[in-house]
Amino acid sequence: MSFIESIRTVLSKYAVFSGRARRSEYWWFALAYTIVMSILYFALVVPGLTAYTADLMADPAAQMPGSVMTGYLIVSVVGLALFLPSLGVLVRRLHDTDRSGFWYFFAFVPVVGPIMLIVWEATEGTQGPNRFGADPKAVEQTSAV
């Protein structure tokens, strides 16, 4: 699955938590999410914070500029808009490894949880159909023929 195709697939399944997602679909979307959020943060928040820090050095009572607050607001709105697709593709990725989506909550266990979640996300999915649906690799190979 290509970069653009994976983003299109995840966004078209905006809040779909059933089925399975290939590793490429998950990781390409994770990369796109990281790039978008980083660009927004560094373009909208960091310049204002830099100016605010300089003002704060000169005057400890300086007020945070509105541009910083606007930047934070935009970054937050985009993050909230992409939360459901991110969660959906994560749950479908867990389904591909034959795990319930509730294993997502394992991420809240300190240290071990996030590491195990990353390992499961990187693990190859089960071959053939499982309790969550058909193998997405097999479906993609069949449709390519």
Side-chain angles (χ1 to χ4, degrees):
M1 183 172 280
S2 70
F3 181 73
I4 300 296
E5 185 181 359
S6 68
I7 295 167
R8 191 174 296 136
T9 301
V10 171
L11 293 178
S12 69
K13 296 179 178 180
Y14 191 85
V16 175
F17 298 98
S18 61
R20 296 168 62 174
R22 293 183 59 184
R23 282 184 293 185
S24 60
E25 180 181 343
Y26 176 80
W27 288 109
W28 281 126
F29 182 76
L31 176 65
Y33 178 86
T34 303
I35 290 170
V36 165
M37 294 304 283
S38 297
I39 288 172
L40 285 174
Y41 185 78
F42 284 108
L44 301 175
V45 176
V46 170
L49 281 179
T50 305
Y52 173 60
T53 304
D55 291 346
L56 204 56
M57 294 290 190
D59 179 18
Q63 295 292 319
M64 186 176 291
S67 63
V68 174
M69 300 307 286
T70 304
Y72 274 128
L73 180 66
I74 292 170
V75 170
S76 298
V77 167
V78 172
L80 282 173
L82 293 177
F83 175 72
L84 281 178
S86 300
L87 186 59
V89 74
L90 172 63
V91 168
R92 291 193 309 273
R93 181 71 206 124
L94 287 171
H95 287 175
D96 194 40
T97 61
D98 206 19
R99 289 180 180 79
S100 169
F102 287 107
W103 279 103
Y104 164 74
F105 295 110
F106 193 61
F108 296 109
V109 174
V111 181
V112 175
I115 293 170
M116 286 306 300
L117 201 60
I118 290 171
V119 168
W120 292 336
E121 293 162 355
T123 303
E124 185 175 358
T126 56
Q127 299 291 323
N130 66 15
R131 60 189 168 137
F132 299 105
D135 184 357
K137 267 189 181 177
V139 171
E140 189 173 288
Q141 289 172 354
T142 304
S143 64
V145 174

